[in-house]
Amino acid sequence: MPAFDLPLTELERHRPDVAEPADFDAFWLRTLKEAGQADPLVSVRPVETGLRLIRTWDVTFRGFAGDPVRAWFSRPAGVDGSLPAVVEFAGYGRGRGLPHERLTWVNAGYGHLLMDNRGQGDEYGCGGDTPDPHATAPGGPGPAVRGLLSPEDYHYRRLITDAVRAVTAVRELPGVDPARTAAVGNSQGGGLALAVAGLVPDLAALLVTAPLLCGIRRALDLTDAGPYGEIASYLAVHRGAEHDAYRTLSYVEGVSFARRAQAPAHFGVGLRDTVCPPSGAYAAFNRYAERTGTDPRKEIHAYPFNGHEGGDAVQVRRQLAWAREVLDGRGGSGWDSRSLGS
């Protein structure tokens, strides 16, 4: 697919206005306050993976409405001291899978928490383990349209809340330096990580590639690929529902979260991406931290001939090098794996 969005010179200046609801901040403050009334951790159980150099735990934490959310937590075996933590969010339709599937960050020397996507996991990968008991509002079969006509009922209200709570949970685990916690994700995972950056003011770092939920209105005009295509298909049947849908989507707009973020940020984007059009990532990048009165370190890498895969392993190599500079340093004292139930 040839480039279909704005030319790179225009993307680098792309700073669109976004329609923010007047109660955007109050909506998320109330949502997170309700979710934060209970202690985050439910259980932390060691699991045998067959990997001798990595230790893994099956973590359950309380997410939206106190619902149990599953995650894998891994760290290098035989390493003492508190480590920076990377909280990773999976892509659209994917669950947490199996604990040996995602090893990059733990092999780089970090504590790594991979959050399950509630109500997802059936499209590819090795499945998920977290149901969504609230997925009863009107909407289509795909997560992107579940509860689309109401901000209170929308799937991404719950999933973003889970993502914020995942950061709270990982900071409670022994052997994690809570001051050095990063949010990481690609596609839907990138959109969740960006939301976390806008809602967790003391996040240490953000690393996103091809983020979903950025520049949503423009993306709906540009592409029929899912998940945006699922929203368009729903509106093609439910004619006249656009106003309510657009209002709901304004509460999960990644550019709005980016404006409120202040952590150092690393972005990647494929300029031929028809799933998450590059103008969305650039809109978030160009307006990043503008409401916080800060000037955090940030950089973006564009891949002119790549689509939704972005820079792939090249981008990951850049992420690892950048994370070493931003996150690595002296950790806390005393790692004791017995405190995690070895």
Side-chain angles (χ1 to χ4, degrees), residues 64 67 116-120 130-134 155 158-159 162:
F64 177 85
D67 299 334
D116 205 11
N117 287 324
R118 66 163 63 217
Q120 299 189 31
T130 303
D132 185 0
H134 308 277
H155 176 77
R158 301 188 290 278
L159 200 57
D162 292 347

Side-chain angles (χ1 to χ4, degrees), residues 154 156 160 191-192 211-216 228 249 252-255 276:
Y154 195 35
Y156 280 111
I160 289 170
L192 295 177
L212 185 69
L213 300 176
C214 293
I216 298 172
Y228 293 118
L249 292 167
V252 300
E253 169 60 60
V255 177
C276 296

Side-chain angles (χ1 to χ4, degrees), residues 217-232:
R217 291 286 293 269
R218 178 176 171 81
L220 286 169
D221 290 338
L222 285 177
T223 183
D224 284 327
Y228 293 118
E230 295 176 17
I231 297 173

Side-chain angles (χ1 to χ4, degrees), residues 297-313:
R297 172 178 175 173
K298 66 175 186 174
E299 60 186 66
I300 188 168
H301 297 275
Y303 301 91
F305 294 96
N306 289 101
H308 195 53
E309 80 282 7
D312 207 5

